[in-house]
């Protein structure tokens, strides 16, 4: 069964550094998402992406964040200058065009020191 | 402000019994309500979706109800098994595909 994949599984970075988290959504899906989950807290929506542009974003998704679909398979989340509070699990998800259920990847654990 | 509450942080039941989990919401008009399962350190896994004009949906041992007047969804697992032990998340969607998750209920099924 097709799955969403994410790399790396764990990323450690220093405060102020840029990080890029990578995702390969399921191949025939057209909506892509990023969520984050701080340890012990709720899963929080960051951004959705469709037809090569952002369709929705939350208050969390400020100017430090950006998303890109650089080719036909990858979907990336960039954090320009990481802060300690960016430490969290970041999940990518994708959906078929006519559906609403979201298929999540295994996550990337980001640790900012 | 919008609020989603899931009835308890943890629920312990005996194998074979029915688990019932509750999701209540306020200041929200969801077009869809979804239930996900999350295991420790893993991503949420989609279980069921119910639309605002539907009262009940079933899938194998799972059943979800949706009452937009009470602003509540109930999620049932019948004939529960130890393998059902996980955290179950309720998520609301106004149709804009931006899920708002509850904090989850951790279910433990004792053999």
């Amino acid at each position: 069964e097709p799955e969403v994949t994410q790399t790396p599984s764990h990323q450690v970075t220093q405060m102020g550094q840029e990080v890029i988290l990578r995702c390969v959504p399921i191949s025939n899906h057209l909506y892509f998402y990023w969520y984050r989950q701080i340890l012990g807290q709720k899963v929080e929506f960051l951004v959705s992406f469709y037809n090569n542009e952002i369709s929705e974003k939350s208050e969390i998704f400020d100017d430090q964040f950006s998303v890109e679909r650089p080719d036909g398979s990858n979907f990336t989340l960039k954090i320009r200058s990481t802060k300690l509070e960016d430490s969290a699990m970041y999940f990518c998800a994708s959906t078929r065009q006519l559906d609403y259920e979201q298929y999540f990847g295994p996550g990337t654990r980001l640790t900012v020191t | 402000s919008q609020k989603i509450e899931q009835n308890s942080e943890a629920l312990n039941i005996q194998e074979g019994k029915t688990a019932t989990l509750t999701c209540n919401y306020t200041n929200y008009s969801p077009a869809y309500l979804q239930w996900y399962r999350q295991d420790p350190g893993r991503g949420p896994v989609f279980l069921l979706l119910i639309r605002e004009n539907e009262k009940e949906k079933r899938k194998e041992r799972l059943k979800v109800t949706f009452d937009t007047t009470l602003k509540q969804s109930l999620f049932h697992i019948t004939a529960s098994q130890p393998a059902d032990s996980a955290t179950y998340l309720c998520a609301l969607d106004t149709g804009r595909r931006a899920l708002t998750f509850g904090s989850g209920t951790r279910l433990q099924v004792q053999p």
Side-chain angles (χ1 to χ4, degrees):
Chain A
E1 190 171 325
E3 291 181 337
V4 175
T5 59
Q6 291 185 244
T7 55
S9 56
H10 192 189
Q11 173 95 44
V12 181
T13 190
Q14 288 193 324
M15 196 167 54
Q17 295 297 303
E18 175 184 287
V19 293
I20 297 176
L21 309 183
R22 291 183 166 81
C23 168
V24 179
I26 296 173
S27 63
N28 63 343
H29 286 191
L30 296 179
Y31 285 88
F32 314 117
Y33 315 84
W34 284 101
Y35 290 81
R36 79 171 186 192
Q37 187 173 30
I38 296 169
L39 188 63
Q41 297 189 23
K42 297 181 185 184
V43 176
E44 299 175 290
F45 170 78
L46 294 178
V47 66
S48 61
F49 191 85
Y50 172 72
N51 202 24
N52 284 319
E53 59 183 27
I54 290 173
S55 50
E56 292 287 328
K57 61 181 181 178
S58 71
E59 291 175 354
I60 303 168
F61 193 88
D62 61 22
D63 292 344
Q64 291 298 313
F65 292 88
S66 62
V67 289
E68 196 177 35
R69 186 144 163 90
D71 54 44
S73 58
N74 291 284
F75 180 51
T76 62
L77 174 70
K78 183 193 290 187
I79 309 175
R80 271 182 254 291
S81 177
T82 50
K83 307 183 188 77
L84 293 176
E85 53 265 36
D86 293 327
S87 295
M89 195 77 151
Y90 287 81
F91 295 109
C92 173
S94 68
T95 305
R96 286 188 290 255
Q97 180 159 15
L98 298 180
D99 293 337
Y100 286 85
E101 55 264 33
Q102 299 186 14
Y103 293 87
F104 285 75
T108 292
R109 180 169 299 286
L110 177 64
T111 303
V112 182
T113 62
Chain B
S1 61
Q2 295 170 348
K3 206 171 173 183
I4 303 171
E5 287 184 350
Q6 296 194 238
N7 58 323
S8 55
E9 280 193 21
L11 183 64
N12 291 297
I13 63 167
Q14 288 296 122
E15 184 175 4
K17 300 290 187 187
T18 296
T20 298
L21 287 65
T22 306
C23 175
N24 294 291
Y25 59 93
T26 54
N27 298 323
Y28 210 115
S29 298
Y32 305 90
L33 189 147
Q34 303 187 33
W35 284 89
Y36 288 80
R37 168 184 173 140
Q38 188 175 29
D39 291 284
R42 310 285 295 271
V45 174
F46 171 76
L47 296 174
L48 279 170
L49 177 150
I50 188 164
R51 292 171 168 75
E52 60 177 335
N53 60 350
E54 295 177 318
K55 297 290 187 193
E56 184 179 296
K57 194 73 98 47
R58 291 175 186 258
K59 180 181 172 184
E60 297 172 353
R61 295 185 296 112
L62 309 180
K63 183 178 89 170
V64 62
T65 62
F66 193 12
D67 188 327
T68 54
T69 303
L70 290 179
K71 296 185 185 297
Q72 182 181 78
S73 174
L74 299 179
F75 178 76
H76 307 272
I77 306 174
T78 57
S80 58
Q81 304 164 0
D84 295 326
S85 299
T87 296
Y88 290 85
L89 309 176
C90 165
L92 303 185
D93 180 9
T94 57
R96 301 179 75 84
R97 299 173 182 270
L99 293 179
T100 302
F101 281 89
S103 53
T105 298
R106 193 171 66 252
L107 174 67
Q108 186 70 40
V109 181
Q110 307 287 348

